[in-house]
């Protein structure tokens, strides 16, 4: 397919948390990998979004590099994908201002992530309220049509579509309505047994940065079927978070044995966890080796990000000029 005919895909990578966890890898990262051959892909490290809630400056700096390195290590090909940092293309924030003037305040206040974070942090910055308009600007500035996101981001995507419609209706057809592409991936439960792995609750996660020992230790402490108290108690795999993770890593034949063995108490939780640990450690090994290499030579990553800016800025400037002109700011 020629580059021109490809649909443009855009997605934002949050530099929050110290490392991606295997849940991110199996859903968000694999979602990007699946599109890099067929779409014109832009990946954007969204540092201006990351500062909408309390954060530490040094850790933000480290995470921007870290998340870029982890996507590259996981198989994102810098020859096929454009990767850059949001604040290096200031046109995003300028477009956010222009588009923000079209949207009524209650629309922002109704969004679930705003309400949740406001409750979680006890207050909300103006940046947190404005978050979705910056996200809309990220997407619309490249006239992207396909946007891979997690389920929690669907209301933001709907908001971005509304912004596009509002602009088109007011100032003439300009933006395509971006389509969400839900990151399929498996549901990866937290090792605490409560909910999914989440970057904000590090305790229950297995991270791309965890060495084999850490992975084994974390798994050893993981919650299993709560009804299986003693080794001789039969277990129920469907109640066990460790089993759910097994389904993503373990070949079917072994999985069948584990299912049987758990229900008949022929194998214990420790043995079951060893098998899973081996699978995860083997799966992550090449990614971790590449990750270490990139972090030891950050200049390689910075160079890729600089190339990304060189590609993105002219595109962003073109859309911004078009919008300014249509809005009478020229
Ligand atoms: N809000 C997104 C998240 O938390 C990150 C993001 C920022 C994004 N801008 C975007 C995602 C544009 C898709 C498109 O995951």
């Amino acid at each position: 397919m020629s580059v021109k005919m490809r649909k443009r895909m855009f997605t934002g990578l949050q530099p929050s948390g110290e490392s991606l966890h295997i849940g991110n890898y199996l859903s968000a990262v694999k979602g990007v990998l699946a599109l890099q051959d067929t779409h014109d892909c832009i990946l954007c490290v969204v540092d201006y979004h990351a500062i909408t809630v309390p954060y530490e400056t040094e850790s933000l700096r480290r995470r921007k590099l870290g998340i870029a390195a982890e996507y590259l290590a996981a198989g994102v090909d810098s020859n096929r994908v454009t990767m850059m940092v949001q604040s290096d293309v200031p046109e995003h924030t300028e477009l956010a201002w222009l588009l923000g003037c079209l949207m009524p305040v209650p629309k922002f206040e109704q969004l679930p992530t705003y309400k949740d974070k406001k409750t979680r942090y006890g207050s909300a910055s103006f940046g947190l309220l404005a978050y979705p308009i910056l996200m809309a600007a990220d997407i619309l500035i490249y006239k992207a049509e396909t946007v891979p996101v997690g389920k929690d981001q669907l209301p933001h995507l709907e908001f971005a579509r509304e912004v596009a419609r509002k602009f088109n209706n007011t100032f003439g057809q300009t933006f395509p309505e971006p389509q969400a592409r839900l990151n399929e991936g498996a549901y990866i439960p937290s090792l605490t047994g409560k909910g999914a792995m989440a970057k904000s609750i590090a305790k229950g996660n297995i991270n791309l940065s965890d060495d084999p020992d850490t992975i084994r230790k974390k798994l050893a402490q993981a919650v299993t079927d709560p009804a299986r108290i003693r080794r001789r108690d039969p277990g129920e795999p469907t109640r066990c978070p460790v089993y759910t993770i097994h389904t993503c890593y373990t070949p079917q034949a072994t999985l069948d044995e584990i299912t049987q063995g758990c229900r008949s108490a022929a194998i214990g939780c420790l043995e079951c966890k060893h098998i899973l640990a081996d699978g995860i450690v083997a799966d992550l090994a090449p990614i971790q080796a590449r990750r270490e290499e990139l972090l030891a030579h950050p200049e390689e990553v910075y160079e890729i990000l600089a190339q990304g800016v060189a590609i993105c800025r002219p595109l962003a400037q073109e859309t911004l000029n078009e919008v300014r002109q249509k809005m009478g700011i020229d």
Side-chain angles (χ1 to χ4, degrees):
M1 230 186 298
S2 87
V3 171
K4 274 242 151 57
M5 283 171 57
R6 293 177 176 209
K7 278 194 183 170
R8 178 162 291 150
M9 173 278 241
F10 181 97
T11 197
L13 318 177
Q14 273 280 8
S16 57
E18 275 309 307
S19 171
L20 293 175
H21 55 68
I22 58 171
N24 299 138
Y25 173 61
L26 293 173
S27 57
V29 181
K30 290 220 163 156
V32 170
L33 297 182
L35 295 175
Q36 66 180 354
D37 285 327
T38 50
H39 286 65
D40 168 16
C41 297
I42 303 177
L43 302 189
C44 177
V45 179
V46 291
D47 52 351
Y48 278 156
H49 281 117
I51 63 172
T52 58
V53 292
Y55 71 101
E56 281 167 21
T57 49
E58 244 344 282
S59 127
L60 176 62
R61 240 179 232 123
R62 197 171 57 243
R63 278 303 300 146
K64 278 162 57 166
L65 173 70
I67 194 158
E70 286 183 345
Y71 268 79
L72 293 167
V76 164
D77 176 358
S78 60
N79 293 314
R80 282 180 289 172
V81 168
T82 304
M83 197 188 257
M84 50 82 178
V85 176
Q86 189 181 37
S87 61
D88 288 341
V89 185
E91 287 78 8
H92 291 217
T93 34
E94 192 172 343
L95 182 63
W97 179 265
L98 295 169
L99 299 177
C101 292
L102 303 177
M103 300 306 283
V105 171
K107 287 254 181 248
F108 293 81
E109 290 167 331
Q110 280 155 16
L111 284 159
T113 28
Y114 172 71
K115 291 196 275 189
D116 292 351
K117 289 186 182 170
K118 188 176 173 209
T119 309
R120 187 178 340 150
Y121 295 101
S123 69
S125 65
F126 168 70
L128 187 64
L129 183 67
Y131 187 113
I133 200 73
L134 179 57
M135 180 162 160
D138 290 340
I139 300 165
L140 298 178
I141 206 159
Y142 301 108
K143 302 189 178 180
E145 290 173 87
T146 307
V147 183
V149 283
K151 207 162 78 206
D152 63 314
Q153 295 298 313
L154 291 178
H156 287 156
L157 235 286
E158 206 38 63
F159 178 88
R161 292 164 60 84
E162 225 175 301
V163 173
R165 281 198 296 274
K166 184 82 180 270
F167 189 93
N168 292 343
N169 290 336
T170 316
F171 300 106
Q173 183 59 38
T174 307
F175 298 115
E177 274 185 48
Q179 304 276 345
R181 190 176 189 280
L182 203 57
N183 289 330
E184 298 273 332
Y187 168 81
I188 306 296
S190 162
L191 300 179
T192 61
K194 291 195 197 87
M197 283 190 192
K199 274 197 239 168
S200 50
I201 313 161
K203 219 175 116 227
N205 297 345
I206 293 176
N207 294 324
L208 259 44
S209 58
D210 288 341
D211 59 32
D213 258 8
T214 308
I215 294 174
R216 289 180 203 284
K217 273 197 200 112
K218 283 184 173 177
L219 271 175
Q221 288 163 12
V223 169
T224 56
D225 173 5
R228 194 170 185 196
I229 298 162
R230 283 165 302 240
R231 167 69 179 79
R232 63 171 188 277
D233 296 335
E236 178 41 54
T238 53
R239 279 196 302 254
C240 177
V242 171
Y243 181 83
T244 308
I245 305 175
H246 256 298
T247 60
C248 304
Y249 283 95
T250 307
Q252 193 57 49
T254 315
L255 202 58
D256 291 344
E257 280 172 34
I258 289 171
T259 311
Q260 286 288 323
C262 177
R263 290 199 172 122
S264 64
I267 71 165
C269 292
L270 270 183
E271 192 184 335
C272 175
K273 286 171 169 180
H274 282 315
I275 301 172
L276 178 57
D278 289 344
I280 297 178
V281 166
D283 190 70
L284 293 187
I287 299 174
Q288 295 184 323
R290 180 76 184 122
R291 177 181 178 277
E292 287 302 313
E293 233 173 80
L294 287 169
L295 291 179
H297 298 280
E299 65 283 358
E300 260 187 66
V301 182
Y302 289 127
E303 175 56 30
I304 289 168
L305 294 172
Q307 286 167 5
V309 174
I311 293 173
C312 287
R313 263 201 106 171
L315 298 171
Q317 275 161 355
E318 195 180 317
T319 307
L320 186 63
N321 286 338
E322 184 185 356
V323 169
R324 288 175 60 131
Q325 192 238 325
K326 287 181 173 169
M327 289 181 78
I329 315 278
D330 53 344

